[in-house]
Amino acid sequence: MAEKPEDLNLPMAVVTRITKEALPEGCAISKEARTALSKAASVFVLYATSCANTVAQKSKRKTLTAPDVFTAMEEMEFETFLEPLKDSLEAFRSEQNEVKERKAAKKREKEATEKASQEEEKEEEMGDEEEKEGAEKEDDDKEDKEDKEGDTEITTETPAEVHMIE
């Protein structure tokens, strides 16, 4: 809970931004008016929270939900705000889903890129191994040929016969 009542006020920067967006261009608002709006907004939020909490407690829950807030708005006789509030909530949820989908798509893309990279590395390794095996086979063939040439003895038992001994 807040230690002082001032801790419950909305930040002045937020109040200023909201009021500037709500007022027509060229319209100024005094510091006193911003302070009064900040305090009024804080009181409204506290009252709405208290009413929504009562609705949740009647349902034997400790967590406030959006339907609790909608019911509280009706009980506070702010029915005119229900549709804009529901629309804002729907827009927020849609935005959150889009963010989640973009993150998931980015993750899938990253995984696909990593998988393709790993497959390329495997192919390169296979190619390197095949080249190495081919080079080794050439070396073995060359050595075999040299061995055969080195192992072959030509002897002349008789001048007319030449025998190959392997």
Side-chain angles (χ1 to χ4, degrees):
M1 226 33 220
E3 293 180 21
K4 324 180 246 185
E6 295 83 37
D7 292 342
L8 299 174
N9 289 338
L10 294 173
M12 198 55 71
V14 173
V15 173
T16 301
R17 182 171 34 98
I18 292 170
T19 54
K20 283 184 178 180
E21 289 176 9
L23 293 173
E25 197 170 320
C27 187
I29 184 165
S30 70
K31 185 176 180 181
E32 282 182 343
R34 283 194 308 261
T35 302
L37 282 169
S38 174
K39 290 183 186 233
S42 296
V43 168
F44 177 77
V45 169
L46 290 171
Y47 181 54
T49 303
S50 176
C51 290
N53 187 45
T54 302
V55 171
Q57 284 178 345
K58 285 179 184 175
S59 300
K60 297 182 181 179
R61 289 181 287 108
K62 291 184 178 183
T63 303
L64 301 181
T65 62
D68 296 334
V69 175
F70 299 148
T71 303
M73 295 296 280
E74 288 174 352
E75 288 179 4
M76 294 168 27
E77 298 181 7
F78 283 106
E79 294 89 3
T80 56
F81 293 119
L82 278 177
E83 279 309 308
L85 182 58
K86 288 178 181 179
D87 292 344
S88 293
L89 180 61
E90 185 59 38
F92 172 77
R93 286 178 177 164
S94 294
E95 186 178 313
Q96 292 300 307
N97 285 336
E98 288 174 11
V99 168
K100 191 183 285 186
E101 288 172 8
R102 281 196 301 267
K103 284 182 180 179
K106 190 174 182 179
K107 184 178 179 182
R108 285 191 302 268
E109 183 180 318
K110 183 180 177 183
E111 289 172 352
T113 303
E114 288 175 356
K115 185 176 180 182
S117 177
Q118 289 173 350
E119 288 176 0
E120 285 178 11
E121 288 176 8
K122 283 183 181 179
E123 288 176 7
E124 286 177 8
E125 288 175 8
M126 296 285 263
D128 290 346
E129 287 178 15
E130 288 174 2
E131 281 183 29
K132 189 176 179 182
E133 288 174 4
E136 287 175 359
K137 186 175 181 189
E138 281 182 23
D139 289 345
D140 289 346
D141 290 348
K142 194 174 185 180
E143 287 176 7
D144 288 347
K145 186 176 180 183
E146 288 173 359
D147 286 347
K148 285 181 182 178
E149 289 175 359
D151 289 346
T152 305
E153 293 180 20
I154 302 176
T155 59
T156 54
E157 292 179 9
T158 61
E161 297 179 311
V162 176
H163 294 285
M164 300 280 279
I165 304 172
E166 292 181 351

